[in-house]
Amino acid sequence: MMQGGVKPGTEQSRGTEIDAEPTTAARLPLRFMEPIPLCLHQQPFPRTILSELYRPQRGDSLALPLYLMPVSAGFPSPADDFIEQRLDLNHYLIHNPAATFMARVAGDSMIGGGIHDGDLIIVDRSLVPKDGQVVVAVLNGELTIKRLKYVQGRLFLQAENPVYPDIEITDASAFLVWGVVTSVIHAL
């Protein structure tokens, strides 16, 4: 009878590591086994995540009246009823329909950037991400929204809320920029 070592057929396949880190087998008393799944799902830092993902459907258009007179955010100005044209929000907000998605934000790490819990964001996957842009990234298997920052040759995902620390992207991070956020739809 074989004792110790790897039993045939029980090896972990390559690429099934947790959070892209190598794993190892360990012997633990059974009382320690129950909290392990909870620990594996806890994040080392809170993040704003995307709770839903939508793909816009083109076809029907809904053109709404667009008034020529700007609405003053300062002192009120006399109203004018002149309508310049009609505006379809699909055409205004979505420039590349084949590569565009919408997602709902969950969390408060981007409130300083005007992106709140429950907002819808429009993400264009065809754009090349640049320093300072808000992006949707895949970090260790999760979608997150953050500002992309390059600082002295180092790459960070930066929250827009001082409560949350910047996340440095290292060689050990499983990281991918999924798309660039082009607009946010925020209900009042």
Side-chain angles (χ1 to χ4, degrees):
M1 170 177 258
M2 187 174 156
Q3 292 188 343
V6 176
K7 295 180 182 170
T10 62
E11 304 94 17
Q12 183 179 19
S13 334
R14 294 192 69 72
T16 59
E17 298 91 357
I18 297 171
D19 291 338
E21 294 181 29
T23 58
T24 186
R27 289 180 175 256
L28 296 171
L30 291 176
R31 68 179 185 275
F32 293 126
M33 297 302 289
E34 188 172 317
I36 288 177
L38 296 173
C39 293
L40 291 174
H41 295 302
Q42 286 180 346
Q43 300 301 316
F45 39 78
R47 290 183 258 198
T48 292
I49 58 171
L50 305 176
S51 61
E52 301 169 32
L53 208 57
Y54 309 97
R55 183 166 198 126
Q57 294 183 357
R58 297 297 285 259
D60 296 336
S61 69
L62 176 62
L64 302 172
L66 175 65
Y67 287 89
L68 177 64
M69 290 294 296
V71 176
S72 176
F75 292 104
S77 63
D80 197 347
D81 290 339
F82 184 72
I83 296 175
E84 179 183 16
Q85 61 185 3
R86 298 190 75 80
L87 174 69
D88 184 335
L89 292 177
N90 288 326
H91 292 287
Y92 183 72
L93 297 173
I94 300 171
H95 303 286
N96 187 358
T100 300
F101 291 82
M102 293 184 287
R104 188 170 302 279
V105 174
D108 63 353
S109 74
M110 295 299 289
I111 58 173
I115 302 171
H116 299 254
D117 183 51
D119 284 355
L120 282 174
I121 55 172
I122 298 176
V123 183
D124 190 336
R125 298 194 68 196
S126 68
L127 298 176
V128 176
K130 297 177 183 163
D131 181 44
Q133 288 183 316
V134 175
V135 299
V136 172
V138 181
L139 181 61
N140 299 327
E142 291 185 24
L143 288 172
T144 186
I145 178 173
K146 295 286 182 286
R147 190 171 300 280
L148 192 66
K149 293 294 289 183
Y150 289 97
V151 179
Q152 299 176 342
R154 296 164 52 197
L155 179 62
F156 293 89
L157 290 177
Q158 183 181 53
E160 295 283 340
N161 183 336
V163 172
Y164 301 113
D166 294 346
I167 303 167
E168 183 173 6
I169 305 303
T170 64
D171 291 339
S173 305
F175 173 74
L176 170 74
V177 173
W178 192 78
V180 175
V181 178
T182 58
S183 298
V184 59
I185 300 171
H186 175 78
L188 296 177

